[in-house]
């Protein structure tokens, strides 16, 4: 997806003089294997994450096919649990997170006027670590006893009873964690040290701000996950009893450690999405972002508060009432800075000169559906209600409204917004709108009925259910198939033609309301940009020399 294609490379090189496209760099497969250019590595991340989205999507469709009607149809309960576990792990660690890192690689240097990421070789290493990790995860299905089946949260004591695939899963998580930490260090150093002269922190694009904060979150919590799964590993093989009650261990301690990682992790997957939306809404409203400073402070507040709400996942573990009250109020408090962001986006659109190209459609769709996910989260924050809804399909619905309609819709919005800059050609607006409407409709057909299933008491991770849940499950399964096909359509009909250069040539600034340094460059962005730091105007959005 990068300045990927040689057909437009020469035009870019001509436009940029010394910035020859294959500027003394390797070509062919070596260009990608040895890539140190931030654009190429960003492209690799995006293609990898889409591949994993398809793998995780196939697992989701197998789950929904089994749940299409009561009774056991396709898979036995053991394999069903493997599917739910691997679907979660692959989507979170293989699809959503790498996609945002891909955006960071592509856009952060362009937006701050840097020539590349700070540590180019480490950048290459952090990407290629993901390939063996992904192979370990997917390959665990073919190990004795099948894939891990403890749920994506990997709760003890189930993890202590799994076969050898559990060790492969733990190893994969360690590798992915190392990759995330290296990527985060790279992003922090790039943003803090390599901004163009004149670009102060409070003049940075919101996408850079959200990634700076996200990178600190990643560095803080990935070692916590590594600790939890390492303790699991020593329980399994080295005679310790951290989580094994038979030896005096405590399985609930695992939940505390995991969710201390897990709740900031949820914000790691949504804060960069907020950054993307904060770039797109002003562009298509032809206005400045309303309340830029409050957006920065709200993002920081969310990051800080995310560390004190972890046990709202654990209201049913026998927590004292005082603890329940604290985590209930803290969880309600975190909705305030999130609401500030929603208000700022709506205020940005208010009386703006709005148009609804595909990036804006996905952004408005994001705001609408993410808000629903936020409200269902507020409901789950109430301890007495959560105790009823714990581990039901209501939680599944809430989680997917936040992460699919949240993270994934924002990623699609970002792809449509920056695709002309990456490839040098305009995507088909009609096909983009078909993708948006089919995704939005099928997403809601899939996940909205799950609220009612959860309220009626259907537990998650069950391969079978009684007849009273049949209609909503059938509806959700049909919606899931439609949603999956919509994403295949997105790649085949939108992304692939752009990668091959099929379409109208994109101007340097295809969106007339867009602001930022990336729109000062020709489309496609030349392989090497900002080799000397640009001189910026007072707003730090234009190059003056």
């Amino acid at each position: 997806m990068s300045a990927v294609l040689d057909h437009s490379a020469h035009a870019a090189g001509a436009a940029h003089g010394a910035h020859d496209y294959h500027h003394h760099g390797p070509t062919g497969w070596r260009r990608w294997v040895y890539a140190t250019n931030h654009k190429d590595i960003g492209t690799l991340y995006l293609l990898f994450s889409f591949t994993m989205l398809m793998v995780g999507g196939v697992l989701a469709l197998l789950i929904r096919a089994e749940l299409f009607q009561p009774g056991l149809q396709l898979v036995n309960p053991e394999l069903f649990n493997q599917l739910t576990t691997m679907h979660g792990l692959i989507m979170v660690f293989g699809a959503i997170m790498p996609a945002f890192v891909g955006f960071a690689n592509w856009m952060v240097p362009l937006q701050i006027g840097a020539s590349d990421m700070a540590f180019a070789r480490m950048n290459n290493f952090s990407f290629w670590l993901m390939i063996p990790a992904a192979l370990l995860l997917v390959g665990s299905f073919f190990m004795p006893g099948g894939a891990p089946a403890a749920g994506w949260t990997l709760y003890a004591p189930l993890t202590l009873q799994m076969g050898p695939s559990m060790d492969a899963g733990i190893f994969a998580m360690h590798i992915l964690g190392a990759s995330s930490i290296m990527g985060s260090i790279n992003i922090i150093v790039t943003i803090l040290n390599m901004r163009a002269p004149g670009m102060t922190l409070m003049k940075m694009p919101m996408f850079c701000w959200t990634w700076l904060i996200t990178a600190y979150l990643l560095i803080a919590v990935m070692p916590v996950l590594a600790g939890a799964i390492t303790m699991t590993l020593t329980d399994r093989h080295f005679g310790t009893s951290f989580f094994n009650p038979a030896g005096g261990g405590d399985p609930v301690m695992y939940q505390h450690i995991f969710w201390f990682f897990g709740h900031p992790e949820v914000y790691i997957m949504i804060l960069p999405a907020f950054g993307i939306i904060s770039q797109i809404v002003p562009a298509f409203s032809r206005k400045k972002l309303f309340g830029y400073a409050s957006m920065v402070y709200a993002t920081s507040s969310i990051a800080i508060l995310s560390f004190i709400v972890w046990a709202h996942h654990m209201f049913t573990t026998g927590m004292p009432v005082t603890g329940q009250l604290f985590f209930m109020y803290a969880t309600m408090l975190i909705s305030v800075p999130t609401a500030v962001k929603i208000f700022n986006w709506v205020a940005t659109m208010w009386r703006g000169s709005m148009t609804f190209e595909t990036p804006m459609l996905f952004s408005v769709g994001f705001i609408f559906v993410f808000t629903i996910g936020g409200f269902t989260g507020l409901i789950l924050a109430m301890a007495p209600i959560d105790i009823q809804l714990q581990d039901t399909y209501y939680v599944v619905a809430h989680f997917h409204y936040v992460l699919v309609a949240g993270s994934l819709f924002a990623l699609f919005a970002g792809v449509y917004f920056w695709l002309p800059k990456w490839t040098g050609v305009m995507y088909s607006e009609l096909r983009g709108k078909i993708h948006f409407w089919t995704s939005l409709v099928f997403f809601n057909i899939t996940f909205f009925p799950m609220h009612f299933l959860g309220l009626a008491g259907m537990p998650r991770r069950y391969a079978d259910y009684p007849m009273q849940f049949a209609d909503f499950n059938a509806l959700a399964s049909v919606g899931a198939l439609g949603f999956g096909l919509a994403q295949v359509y997105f790649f085949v009909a939108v992304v692939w033609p752009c990668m091959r250069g099929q379409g109208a040539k994109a101007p340097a600034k295809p969106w007339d309301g867009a602001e930022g340094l990336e729109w000062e460059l020709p489309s496609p962005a030349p392989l090497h940009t900002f080799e000397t730091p640009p001189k910026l105007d007072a707003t730090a959005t234009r190059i003056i020399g």
Side-chain angles (χ1 to χ4, degrees), residues 78-96:
E78 214 166 29
L79 179 55
F80 185 86
N81 286 344
Q82 294 173 26
L83 292 172
T84 53
T85 302
M86 298 309 294
H87 166 71
L89 289 173
I90 286 169
M91 287 301 202
V92 169
F93 296 103
I96 299 295

Side-chain angles (χ1 to χ4, degrees), residues 489-500:
Y489 175 83
F490 161 69
F491 187 80
V492 172
V494 178
V495 175
W496 185 243
C498 288
M499 289 173 69
R500 299 190 61 195

Side-chain angles (χ1 to χ4, degrees), residues 383-407:
I385 301 176
D386 182 81
I387 287 166
Q388 294 296 313
L389 297 175
Q390 170 81 9
D391 270 336
T392 67
Y393 265 77
Y394 192 91
V395 176
V396 177
H398 157 70
F399 190 73
H400 285 83
Y401 264 80
V402 172
L403 280 187
V404 181
S407 301

Side-chain angles (χ1 to χ4, degrees), residues 73-411:
Q73 273 68 243
L74 301 173
V75 299
N76 61 36
E78 214 166 29
L79 179 55
F80 185 86
N81 286 344
Q82 294 173 26
L83 292 172
T84 53
T85 302
M86 298 309 294
H87 166 71
L89 289 173
I90 286 169
M91 287 301 202
V92 169
F93 296 103
I96 299 295
M97 288 173 69
F100 282 127
V101 178
F103 271 88
N105 266 291
W106 246 108
M107 300 316 304
V108 166
L110 294 185
Q111 291 188 331
I112 64 173
S115 58
D116 207 313
M117 298 294 278
F119 305 115
R121 291 186 190 280
M122 188 167 83
N123 204 12
N124 173 286
F125 187 48
S126 60
F127 169 75
W128 285 109
L129 276 178
M130 305 202 74
I131 304 300
L135 292 174
L136 273 172
L137 277 179
V138 177
S140 65
F141 276 108
F142 306 102
M143 293 179 182
W152 81 273
T153 49
L154 303 177
Y155 275 4
L158 280 174
T159 45
L160 310 181
Q161 301 157 13
M162 295 283 124
S165 63
M166 191 69 233
D167 303 320
I170 288 171
F171 188 34
M173 304 301 287
H174 273 300
I175 298 171
L176 290 167
S179 169
S180 292
I181 289 170
M182 285 193 287
S184 301
I185 292 168
N186 223 335
I187 288 164
I188 290 169
V189 175
T190 303
I191 290 175
L192 293 185
N193 289 356
M194 298 178 67
R195 299 190 308 280
M199 181 170 285
T200 62
L201 284 174
M202 292 306 282
K203 288 180 182 174
M204 280 199 313
M206 270 309 300
F207 179 69
C208 296
W209 257 116
T210 54
W211 243 117
L212 179 65
I213 292 164
T214 301
Y216 278 112
L217 276 180
L218 272 165
I219 289 174
V221 301
M222 289 313 288
V224 177
L225 174 66
I229 57 179
T230 303
M231 291 153 87
T232 302
L233 193 70
T234 60
D235 274 11
R236 285 169 56 82
H237 296 294
F238 300 110
T240 58
S241 292
F242 291 111
F243 311 130
N244 187 355
D250 183 5
V252 175
M253 181 171 76
Y254 176 87
Q255 294 192 31
H256 279 292
I257 300 169
F258 179 86
W259 286 117
F260 189 79
F261 148 81
H263 205 80
E265 166 67 17
V266 174
Y267 291 100
I268 285 163
M269 290 188 283
I270 202 67
L271 289 181
F274 291 163
I276 292 171
I277 301 302
S278 300
Q279 301 291 126
I280 295 172
V281 168
F284 292 94
S285 303
R286 277 85 181 163
K287 284 173 65 183
K288 292 277 188 195
L289 179 67
F290 181 89
Y292 172 91
S294 65
M295 281 292 230
V296 173
Y297 299 137
T299 308
S300 309
S301 306
I302 289 170
I304 293 163
L305 290 171
S306 73
F307 283 98
I308 62 164
V309 297
W310 78 88
H312 67 210
H313 298 269
M314 300 170 55
F315 284 143
T316 56
T317 57
M319 188 188 304
V321 172
T322 317
Q324 289 188 353
L325 284 171
F326 170 79
F327 286 107
M328 187 167 86
Y329 293 141
T331 305
M332 288 194 244
L333 185 63
I334 207 168
S335 67
V336 175
T338 313
V340 167
K341 288 179 165 297
I342 303 282
F343 173 81
N344 284 10
W345 293 323
V346 173
T348 303
M349 291 187 276
W350 177 250
R351 303 190 74 172
S353 180
M354 290 170 66
T355 53
F356 292 97
E357 290 87 349
T358 311
M360 187 61 164
L361 283 177
F362 267 107
S363 299
V364 174
F366 165 92
I367 293 167
F368 170 67
V369 195
F370 176 78
T371 303
I372 295 174
F375 278 127
T376 57
L378 259 180
I379 290 166
L380 289 170
M382 314 283 178
I385 301 176
D386 182 81
I387 287 166
Q388 294 296 313
L389 297 175
Q390 170 81 9
D391 270 336
T392 67
Y393 265 77
Y394 192 91
V395 176
V396 177
H398 157 70
F399 190 73
H400 285 83
Y401 264 80
V402 172
L403 280 187
V404 181
S407 301
L408 194 63
F409 276 24
L411 286 164

Side-chain angles (χ1 to χ4, degrees), residues 39-62:
K39 302 178 183 73
D40 285 349
I41 293 172
T43 300
L44 288 169
Y45 267 110
L46 290 168
L47 291 173
F48 170 82
S49 71
F50 188 81
T51 304
M52 298 308 284
L53 182 76
M54 292 294 103
V55 173
V58 168
L59 303 185
L61 289 179
L62 287 170

